[in-house]
Amino acid sequence: MRRIFLSFWCILSLAVFATAQDQHGHDNHDGHNHAEHADHSGQDHADHSGHAHANACGYTHEDVFNPGAVAFHHISDQNIYSIGPVAIPLPCIMYVKDQGLEMFSSGVFEADSHGSGIYAYNRWVIYEGSVRRILDKQFPMGKVAIGEHNLFPVEETMDNGKKRDVIHLCYEGEAWRCDSKSYADGGFLGGGMSSYYDFSITKNVMTMLIVFILVAWVFIRVARAYKKREGLAPTGTQNLLETLFVFIQDEVAKPFLGAKWERYTPFLMSLFFFILALNLFGQIPFFGGSNVTGNLSFTLVIAVLAFVVTTFSGNKHYWEHIFWMPGLPAWVKVIITPVEIMGMFIKPLTLMLRLFGNITAGHMVIVIFVGLIFIFGQNGANPGAAYGTAIGSTLLTMFMMAIELLVAFLQAFVFTILTASYIGAAIEDHHHAEEAH
Amino acid sequence: MVSLTAIGAGLAVIGAGIGIGNIGSKAMEAIARQPEAVGDIRSNMILMAALIEGAALIAILLAFFV
């Protein structure tokens, strides 16, 4: 009887999941697809594969579905938190150079499902979820209605030869240049320093806070359960977490860290459970689609933490092996030393990129599978093909999400095991080092 | 330029694919030979695959950003 119930429950949840996915497809129809969105008349699809909108500043908006752009929009950090069709405003904390802090809610922009606002506030506008600043002092302060489709990108070439989109606002027939927030990437990824810094509680920060509270709550509860139920077999959440905890302890901490494993266990456990929880949280459909572990800034911070822990726990032998590898002829040492020093930095760099790459790729593949509907449906010109593809793409998306569940665990595990092996190499005692040669 | 970077990224992926494929096949053989050592073999397999993936990721990064 129980088994029947279980299988029934499985099928039911699969069905709900499938409908949810399908809805995601429809959701995209309504909100996320540029073609559908801009097409207000919504009638003569047949002879148009995409509409063109011209605004007062002479910018023509080509409404052709661009899967790459949509995917990048979905994985990027935003100043609004969208749960399904509901956009929850988040606090914006901006630091403008020579002007100090400015704080406001992103609700003032009244952003649509694209994340583009129809109001400007104190020379701030929101375009595709991120707040930007109008540079010109002539622009009126306070809340100004700017209308729809008046924010548009213009491609510019930067000093280093890279191209990037600069957002302009079309207001009263004039184009106003908008600055985007400062990125500390040195212009590498199309960012660079601008006139203001964004310290807002963005979607990613919000997600991290939520996940932190969730994980802390679950672990405190489980810790209490151990006190209360001492000597009894674990149940429920306690059981689940004990399995994971003991797995990391026995498979990662003990084999790699040797005798000192207990000292590093809190660090490794924090890494594992925080990354795992963030990975899984980002997988929940419609719930913001947070992509925290697929954000280079976040992975950079945890990779730097791993680097700091490794470097500061390095013993004499570790540094000896880096700067003057024993047991090698002098001329080889001259070659090996720079390689070892580079290796010190490449290890955390790969940690950072691996997590970022895997999680971002997963999120993008799911968005692109949903985007297949619009590609085959030719932006609404061919609804039959769109419905047909919707079935296939729902199945593909479900398959991808199942794989992503595995990847969420695997990447958290890989990050932890690699950190443990780097720390282990740094604290290895002499006997082990001797055996290695 | 775009096509060249794409070819570079593709080559990096081919290299990583061959490498990880080799690890997988050898790990399967090792498990078949010594099923009792499956835990050790699995974690070492993941570790090695992750290291190869690291090299491929650096190659992809260089292909796109330099």
Side-chain angles (χ1 to χ4, degrees), chain A residues 262-308:
Chain A
E262 254 176 85
R263 210 175 138 195
Y264 295 97
T265 304
F267 176 60
L268 293 178
M269 292 297 171
S270 314
L271 274 184
F272 178 75
F273 284 103
F274 196 46
I275 295 173
L276 176 65
L278 283 171
N279 283 351
L280 291 177
F281 194 84
Q283 285 250 79
I284 305 172
F286 315 116
F287 206 77
S290 322
N291 186 30
V292 183
T293 37
N295 184 309
L296 264 181
S297 325
F298 174 79
T299 54
L300 172 77
V301 170
I302 46 174
V304 165
L305 277 179
F307 174 73
V308 167

Side-chain angles (χ1 to χ4, degrees), chain B residues 20-40:
Chain B
I20 295 176
N22 261 335
I23 291 173
S25 83
K26 295 287 175 197
M28 289 304 120
E29 278 173 24
I31 291 171
R33 205 170 292 157
Q34 265 182 309
E36 68 276 8
V38 63
D40 285 349

Side-chain angles (χ1 to χ4, degrees), chain A residues 55-294:
Chain A
N55 65 18
C57 303
Y59 170 76
T60 334
H61 181 59
E62 281 288 334
D63 287 321
V64 178
F65 178 71
N66 181 352
V70 173
F72 271 109
H73 169 57
H74 274 253
I75 60 161
S76 62
D77 196 7
Q78 301 190 345
N79 288 93
I80 40 178
Y81 200 112
S82 46
I83 297 176
V86 187
I88 295 170
L90 292 173
C92 298
I93 305 161
M94 304 293 180
Y95 181 80
V96 185
K97 284 177 193 161
D98 337 307
Q99 280 181 31
L101 277 178
E102 275 191 60
M103 279 185 238
F104 49 91
S105 155
S106 66
V108 293
F109 302 114
E110 298 184 19
D112 57 12
S113 52
H114 267 280
S116 300
I118 52 169
Y119 285 97
Y121 177 77
N122 284 357
R123 301 200 191 105
W124 298 98
V125 288
I126 194 165
Y127 176 74
E128 301 219 321
S130 59
V131 174
R132 290 151 204 273
R133 183 165 175 264
I134 299 165
L135 281 170
D136 202 327
K137 292 256 162 41
Q138 305 289 315
F139 196 84
M141 294 288 277
K143 198 167 172 177
V144 183
I146 53 172
E148 279 181 68
H149 303 298
N150 279 326
L151 287 159
F152 59 96
V154 176
E155 200 175 67
E156 276 183 20
T157 312
M158 293 195 295
D159 296 338
N160 61 4
K162 302 236 180 220
K163 283 187 177 145
R164 69 166 164 191
D165 282 344
V166 175
I167 307 305
H168 285 68
L169 166 66
C170 188
Y171 179 71
E172 293 184 340
E174 274 180 81
W176 306 74
R177 195 172 192 275
C178 301
D179 224 356
S180 43
K181 64 182 171 194
S182 299
Y183 286 97
D185 65 351
F188 225 34
L189 308 167
M193 288 303 166
S194 71
S195 66
Y196 71 99
Y197 301 96
D198 187 348
F199 293 110
S200 310
I201 313 244
T202 54
K203 189 173 82 178
N204 282 354
V205 179
M206 200 66 208
T207 308
M208 271 191 271
L209 290 174
I210 294 171
V211 165
F212 162 69
I213 290 167
L214 266 177
V215 172
W217 177 69
V218 165
F219 269 88
I220 288 168
R221 251 191 58 185
V222 167
R224 278 217 195 104
Y226 274 104
K227 245 185 216 153
K228 218 163 58 188
R229 303 169 37 82
E230 214 181 331
L232 295 171
T235 51
T237 329
Q238 195 189 353
N239 211 345
L240 172 75
L241 286 185
E242 186 174 310
T243 316
L244 287 171
F245 197 93
V246 170
F247 173 70
I248 296 296
Q249 181 183 304
D250 290 351
E251 297 288 318
V252 178
K254 281 181 186 171
F256 284 96
L257 298 174
K260 288 183 190 161
W261 66 272
E262 254 176 85
R263 210 175 138 195
Y264 295 97
T265 304
F267 176 60
L268 293 178
M269 292 297 171
S270 314
L271 274 184
F272 178 75
F273 284 103
F274 196 46
I275 295 173
L276 176 65
L278 283 171
N279 283 351
L280 291 177
F281 194 84
Q283 285 250 79
I284 305 172
F286 315 116
F287 206 77
S290 322
N291 186 30
V292 183
T293 37

Side-chain angles (χ1 to χ4, degrees), chain A residues 247-265 268 310 313 315 347 412-429 432-433, chain B residues 39-51:
Chain A
F247 173 70
I248 296 296
Q249 181 183 304
D250 290 351
E251 297 288 318
V252 178
K254 281 181 186 171
F256 284 96
L257 298 174
K260 288 183 190 161
W261 66 272
E262 254 176 85
R263 210 175 138 195
Y264 295 97
T265 304
L268 293 178
T310 312
S313 46
N315 59 14
K347 281 172 187 172
F413 174 65
V414 162
F415 198 101
T416 320
I417 203 171
L418 284 173
T419 310
S421 78
Y422 298 154
I423 297 173
I427 60 171
E428 224 171 16
D429 54 19
H432 278 277
Chain B
D40 285 349
I41 293 168
R42 195 194 300 120
S43 52
N44 278 311
M45 175 182 85
I46 292 173
L47 187 68
M48 289 300 130
L51 290 174

